[in-house]
Amino acid sequence: MATKIRLQRGGHKGYAFYSIVIADVRAPRDGRFTEKIGTYNPNTNPATVDLNFDRALYWVEAGAQPTDTVRNVLKGEGVYMMKHLRGGVKKGAFDEAALQQKFEAWKSGKDQAKNAVRDNEAKSKKDAAAKQLEAEKKVNEAIAKQLADKKAEEAAAKAAEEAAKAAEEAAKAAPAEAEAAAPAEAETPKAEETATEAPAEA
């Protein structure tokens, strides 16, 4: 039986999540499979892989052919590196201890690279959030300034309206006060004349 190592799609629309499975080449993509050896989530940066390393190595050494994507996943996880190193042990180029040392050195470098990507991604998200917050702050400040200016304009307009109304009322009240003052001024001379004539009669 020709065997493939391939991805079986899961998740939902817009968020694909894959299982890494061993299946017959004649089986449909999401059909029956022999064994599930891991999962692959390309929605994160870097992609998240949960792999049964020993079973993946077993199937690769057994001759199972991975798809291009799965091959890249297995290379990234070190399956092909381990296969290469085990070949060196079989040829007598080095022993198991050297194999583990070489593999750990390779794995350490790979992990550092992944951590660097994660750190850069986290920093980018943090910087983007800070920029967005700053932009929102500026927008809010601009809105607050517009509201303050509008309130100041409304207050100034109201004050001008009240001043004009007060001036209008004062203008209307002035003639009435003048009319009231005129009779009083006319009566004052008469009273003085009466006071002057009164001694003459006596």
Side-chain angles (χ1 to χ4, degrees), residues 2-151:
T3 305
K4 296 281 285 186
I5 310 176
R6 64 187 180 195
L7 300 177
Q8 187 177 69
R9 194 183 193 284
H12 53 79
K13 185 177 180 181
Y15 191 91
F17 185 87
Y18 299 92
S19 296
I20 304 172
V21 299
I22 310 299
D24 189 297
V25 292
R26 295 166 295 182
R29 185 193 70 174
D30 297 328
R32 294 180 62 182
F33 57 87
T34 305
E35 181 182 353
K36 178 180 175 180
I37 62 172
T39 58
Y40 171 66
N41 181 8
N43 300 291
T44 59
N45 186 23
T48 304
V49 178
D50 183 12
L51 183 69
N52 185 329
F53 188 89
D54 292 336
R55 294 304 295 168
L57 181 61
Y58 165 79
W59 282 107
V60 168
E61 291 183 333
Q65 293 299 312
T67 61
D68 292 340
T69 301
V70 173
R71 185 185 299 276
N72 291 332
V73 171
L74 297 181
K75 283 183 177 180
E77 293 301 305
V79 173
Y80 279 90
M81 173 60 71
M82 180 59 77
K83 179 185 177 183
H84 171 72
L85 293 174
R86 284 168 66 129
V89 172
K90 289 178 182 178
K91 293 177 182 178
F94 44 82
D95 57 12
E96 285 286 342
L99 178 150
Q100 289 299 328
Q101 186 178 4
K102 290 177 181 292
F103 184 77
E104 289 300 327
W106 176 89
K107 189 70 174 174
S108 177
K110 201 74 175 177
D111 290 343
Q112 287 179 3
K114 287 182 180 180
N115 290 335
V117 171
R118 290 192 185 95
D119 292 344
N120 289 336
E121 181 74 9
K123 186 176 183 299
S124 297
K125 287 182 179 180
K126 185 177 180 180
D127 291 344
K131 288 181 180 178
Q132 183 177 359
L133 185 63
E134 185 65 22
E136 290 176 356
K137 184 179 178 181
K138 289 182 179 179
V139 170
N140 291 336
E141 288 176 352
I143 292 173
K145 186 176 183 302
Q146 289 178 353
L147 290 175
D149 292 344
K150 185 176 180 181
K151 286 182 179 180

